[in-house]
Amino acid sequence: MNLPTYLAPFRPRIVPALKNYTRERFGKDVGAGLTVGIVALPLAMAFAIASGLLPQAGIWTAIIAGGLISLLGGSAVQIGGPAGAFIVIVYGIVGRYGLPNLLISTACAGVLLFLLGFLKMGTLVRYVPVSIVVGFTNGIAVLIALSQLKDLLGLQIGKMPADFFSQIKAISLNIDSLNAHALGLGLLCFIGLILWPKLFVSRSMTANGFTARLISRIQAVEGVQLLRATRAVSRVPGPIVALTTLTAFSWLLTLPVETICSRFGGIPQALPDFALPAFSWDTVRLLLPPTLTIAMLGAVESLLCARVADQLSGLPKHDPNQELMAQGVANFIVPFFGGMPATGTIARTVTNVRSGASSPIAGLVHALMLVVIVLAAAPLAMHVPLAVLAVLAVLAGILLHVAWNMGEWREFAQMRQYSNHYRLLMLGTFFLTVVFDLTVALQVGLLLACVLFVRRMSSLFQVVETARTDDSVNFQLYGSLFFGAVAKIDPVLSVVESAPQGLLVRLDAQSLQSLDASGLDVLGQLHKAVTLRGGRLVISGLNAQPRAVMERSGFLAKMEAA
């Protein structure tokens, strides 16, 4: 069946990826999937708890949505699931609309994502200005850090409010309930996540004299086997090390901190049931703003993540339309199992690539690994201290750490290098995200970007008078004559209105790049003003696009008839 050219075919990347698939590649994919599955467990629970949901909601999302995104997606190595970027959005929706409406909003966002991909709009996401992406990413990072201070400090706050100033007020009013044990665990986790990758052998560190001497001593005293073991340990992901060691430390010393068990009663040792949330069109209309926000953020996050994966893996580039369709299917289905919004996740995708993944099989293994953990090891999770998970969430499950390495925080220090438009968009989106919410930030940011774009494009259009005699005047048009630049034709109209009868007006349009309906309308007004005074308007040097617009509208025929 041949689809129209404006529709994208449904072609999951797993189909071509399995052609000429070898046993060696399968072994690497399984190893990568197992590694990512272990990493995904604490992150999924952390994101769900930080979003105001039960921890199992994050795990089920990682299993169901992660599996569907790998099975149906357009990237060979992207891992999907709950993401730190959604924490602020989900927490706000749950607080304002309730959990059932979050499920409906997520399902509706899934439909929008699928339609975006099916209508070949995957590339449109790239048109979102970088300044807006940087602004709301950094704003989300600040809000995530703020929202997690409750568990990091062990504060006795029943429920954290969703907005910025209310959170600050709640923390300040309850700071006297600080739990030193929770803070100690949180700081140990934070410091450990930063230092863990730097504790072992790397080329950059062997250049250091102390490290080089230490390695030489290890080789001399204990032999090469110990060094190999050290290198093997260094490959264990930092979140897993922090989770297991600090959980054991807290449990053995019976520290007075909240755990998964004390707050949520543990994690069910079973897969979720299928349930349909109550649905009505009135509810869908009410949830339009959060639905658009989930869809927009999910599309931007997933496609940015896929681009990062392309650069790291060296595999064939992802199909953005297929990726959006897969994201849509996943987000439509996962709410029926009590899940939360899902998208591509940078931290887990990078882990997948660095672990040797070469196909979507790794993502499927990651989902199966989580199923095994839920069915076999859920009782062990009840001892996980929330303070540990809180720090993981402050880092946005390494999302903030990845964002820092990508240089977004450095954009603030380098703002002097950018234009005023860039600064206004980035800072405006950042402050709107922090003070209001991401929905307002995206809406105002995109509107502001459009206004600034129109302003800049209108400044590029110029009308220059090149020659004048008693009975004729010549003008040169430069740039694009569109709705934002039509006012610049006013000087020509002024010349016509003040000139004697029978004036010949020549417009040299050789440098006119484009023309829209508003530009054509103002040229029509100019032509009418000239002919009413017995004069004549001549336009020469037309490029293809302006000529086509004038011919379709009949404007050229009117000029020739005159």
CSV table of all heavy atoms in Angstrom, one decimal, residues 14 60-73 79-81 330 360 363-368:
chain,number,residue,atom,x,y,z
A,14,ILE,N,13.8,-1.8,14.3
A,14,ILE,CA,14.2,-3.1,14.7
A,14,ILE,C,14.2,-4.0,13.5
A,14,ILE,O,14.9,-5.0,13.4
A,14,ILE,CB,13.3,-3.7,15.8
A,14,ILE,CG1,13.9,-4.9,16.4
A,14,ILE,CG2,11.9,-3.9,15.3
A,14,ILE,CD1,13.2,-5.4,17.7
A,60,TRP,N,6.8,0.5,36.1
A,60,TRP,CA,5.9,0.1,35.0
A,60,TRP,C,6.1,0.9,33.7
A,60,TRP,O,6.0,0.3,32.6
A,60,TRP,CB,4.4,0.1,35.5
A,60,TRP,CG,4.1,-0.8,36.6
A,60,TRP,CD1,4.8,-2.0,36.9
A,60,TRP,CD2,3.1,-0.7,37.6
A,60,TRP,NE1,4.3,-2.6,38.1
A,60,TRP,CE2,3.2,-1.8,38.5
A,60,TRP,CE3,2.1,0.3,37.9
A,60,TRP,CZ2,2.4,-1.9,39.6
A,60,TRP,CZ3,1.3,0.1,39.0
A,60,TRP,CH2,1.4,-1.0,39.8
A,61,THR,N,6.3,2.2,33.9
A,61,THR,CA,6.5,3.0,32.7
A,61,THR,C,7.8,2.6,32.0
A,61,THR,O,7.8,2.5,30.8
A,61,THR,CB,6.6,4.5,33.1
A,61,THR,OG1,5.4,4.8,33.8
A,61,THR,CG2,6.8,5.4,31.9
A,62,ALA,N,8.8,2.3,32.8
A,62,ALA,CA,10.1,1.9,32.2
A,62,ALA,C,9.9,0.6,31.5
A,62,ALA,O,10.5,0.3,30.4
A,62,ALA,CB,11.2,1.8,33.3
A,63,ILE,N,9.1,-0.3,32.0
A,63,ILE,CA,8.9,-1.7,31.4
A,63,ILE,C,8.1,-1.6,30.2
A,63,ILE,O,8.5,-2.0,29.1
A,63,ILE,CB,8.3,-2.6,32.4
A,63,ILE,CG1,9.2,-2.9,33.6
A,63,ILE,CG2,7.8,-3.9,31.7
A,63,ILE,CD1,8.6,-3.7,34.7
A,64,ILE,N,6.9,-1.0,30.3
A,64,ILE,CA,5.9,-1.0,29.2
A,64,ILE,C,6.3,0.0,28.1
A,64,ILE,O,6.5,-0.3,26.9
A,64,ILE,CB,4.5,-0.7,29.7
A,64,ILE,CG1,4.1,-1.8,30.7
A,64,ILE,CG2,3.5,-0.6,28.5
A,64,ILE,CD1,2.8,-1.5,31.4
A,65,ALA,N,6.5,1.3,28.5
A,65,ALA,CA,6.8,2.3,27.5
A,65,ALA,C,8.3,2.1,27.0
A,65,ALA,O,8.5,2.2,25.8
A,65,ALA,CB,6.8,3.7,28.2
A,66,GLY,N,9.2,1.7,27.9
A,66,GLY,CA,10.5,1.4,27.4
A,66,GLY,C,10.6,0.3,26.4
A,66,GLY,O,11.3,0.4,25.3
A,67,GLY,N,9.8,-0.8,26.6
A,67,GLY,CA,9.8,-1.9,25.7
A,67,GLY,C,9.2,-1.5,24.3
A,67,GLY,O,9.7,-1.8,23.3
A,68,LEU,N,8.1,-0.7,24.4
A,68,LEU,CA,7.4,-0.3,23.2
A,68,LEU,C,8.2,0.6,22.3
A,68,LEU,O,8.3,0.6,21.1
A,68,LEU,CB,6.0,0.3,23.5
A,68,LEU,CG,4.9,-0.6,24.0
A,68,LEU,CD1,3.7,0.2,24.5
A,68,LEU,CD2,4.5,-1.6,22.9
A,69,ILE,N,8.9,1.6,23.0
A,69,ILE,CA,9.8,2.5,22.3
A,69,ILE,C,10.9,1.8,21.6
A,69,ILE,O,11.3,2.1,20.4
A,69,ILE,CB,10.3,3.6,23.3
A,69,ILE,CG1,9.1,4.5,23.7
A,69,ILE,CG2,11.4,4.4,22.6
A,69,ILE,CD1,9.5,5.5,24.8
A,70,SER,N,11.5,0.8,22.2
A,70,SER,CA,12.6,0.0,21.6
A,70,SER,C,12.0,-0.8,20.4
A,70,SER,O,12.6,-1.0,19.4
A,70,SER,CB,13.3,-0.8,22.6
A,70,SER,OG,14.0,-0.1,23.6
A,71,LEU,N,10.8,-1.4,20.6
A,71,LEU,CA,10.2,-2.3,19.6
A,71,LEU,C,9.8,-1.5,18.4
A,71,LEU,O,9.9,-2.0,17.3
A,71,LEU,CB,9.1,-3.1,20.2
A,71,LEU,CG,8.4,-4.1,19.3
A,71,LEU,CD1,9.3,-5.2,19.0
A,71,LEU,CD2,7.1,-4.6,20.0
A,72,LEU,N,9.2,-0.3,18.6
A,72,LEU,CA,8.6,0.4,17.5
A,72,LEU,C,9.3,1.6,17.1
A,72,LEU,O,8.9,2.3,16.1
A,72,LEU,CB,7.1,0.8,17.9
A,72,LEU,CG,6.2,-0.4,18.4
A,72,LEU,CD1,4.9,0.2,18.8
A,72,LEU,CD2,6.0,-1.4,17.3
A,73,GLY,N,10.4,2.0,17.8
A,73,GLY,CA,11.0,3.3,17.6
A,73,GLY,C,11.8,3.4,16.3
A,73,GLY,O,12.1,2.4,15.6
A,79,ILE,N,16.9,4.5,24.6
A,79,ILE,CA,16.1,3.8,25.7
A,79,ILE,C,15.1,4.8,26.2
A,79,ILE,O,15.4,6.0,26.5
A,79,ILE,CB,17.0,3.5,26.9
A,79,ILE,CG1,18.1,2.5,26.4
A,79,ILE,CG2,16.2,2.9,28.0
A,79,ILE,CD1,17.6,1.1,26.0
A,80,GLY,N,13.8,4.3,26.2
A,80,GLY,CA,12.7,5.2,26.6
A,80,GLY,C,12.3,4.8,28.0
A,80,GLY,O,12.6,3.8,28.6
A,81,GLY,N,11.5,5.8,28.6
A,81,GLY,CA,11.0,5.5,30.0
A,81,GLY,C,10.7,6.8,30.7
A,81,GLY,O,10.7,7.9,30.0
A,330,ALA,N,3.5,4.4,22.9
A,330,ALA,CA,3.9,4.1,24.3
A,330,ALA,C,3.2,5.0,25.3
A,330,ALA,O,2.6,4.5,26.3
A,330,ALA,CB,5.4,4.3,24.4
A,360,PRO,N,17.8,-2.4,18.7
A,360,PRO,CA,16.8,-2.2,19.7
A,360,PRO,C,16.6,-3.4,20.6
A,360,PRO,O,15.9,-3.3,21.6
A,360,PRO,CB,15.5,-2.0,18.8
A,360,PRO,CG,16.0,-1.4,17.6
A,360,PRO,CD,17.3,-2.1,17.3
A,363,GLY,N,17.2,-2.6,24.2
A,363,GLY,CA,16.1,-1.9,24.9
A,363,GLY,C,15.1,-2.9,25.3
A,363,GLY,O,14.5,-2.8,26.4
A,364,LEU,N,14.8,-3.9,24.5
A,364,LEU,CA,13.9,-5.0,24.9
A,364,LEU,C,14.4,-5.8,26.1
A,364,LEU,O,13.7,-6.1,27.0
A,364,LEU,CB,13.6,-5.9,23.7
A,364,LEU,CG,12.8,-5.2,22.6
A,364,LEU,CD1,12.7,-6.2,21.4
A,364,LEU,CD2,11.5,-4.7,23.0
A,365,VAL,N,15.7,-6.1,26.1
A,365,VAL,CA,16.3,-6.8,27.2
A,365,VAL,C,16.2,-5.9,28.5
A,365,VAL,O,16.0,-6.5,29.6
A,365,VAL,CB,17.8,-7.2,26.9
A,365,VAL,CG1,18.5,-7.8,28.1
A,365,VAL,CG2,17.8,-8.2,25.7
A,366,HIS,N,16.4,-4.7,28.4
A,366,HIS,CA,16.3,-3.7,29.5
A,366,HIS,C,14.9,-3.8,30.1
A,366,HIS,O,14.8,-3.9,31.4
A,366,HIS,CB,16.7,-2.3,29.0
A,366,HIS,CG,15.8,-1.2,29.5
A,366,HIS,ND1,14.7,-0.8,28.8
A,366,HIS,CD2,15.7,-0.5,30.6
A,366,HIS,CE1,14.0,0.1,29.4
A,366,HIS,NE2,14.6,0.4,30.5
A,367,ALA,N,13.9,-3.9,29.3
A,367,ALA,CA,12.5,-4.0,29.8
A,367,ALA,C,12.3,-5.3,30.5
A,367,ALA,O,11.7,-5.4,31.6
A,367,ALA,CB,11.5,-3.7,28.7
A,368,LEU,N,12.8,-6.4,29.9
A,368,LEU,CA,12.6,-7.7,30.5
A,368,LEU,C,13.4,-7.8,31.8
A,368,LEU,O,13.0,-8.5,32.7
A,368,LEU,CB,13.1,-8.8,29.5
A,368,LEU,CG,12.3,-9.0,28.2
A,368,LEU,CD1,12.9,-10.0,27.3
A,368,LEU,CD2,10.9,-9.4,28.6
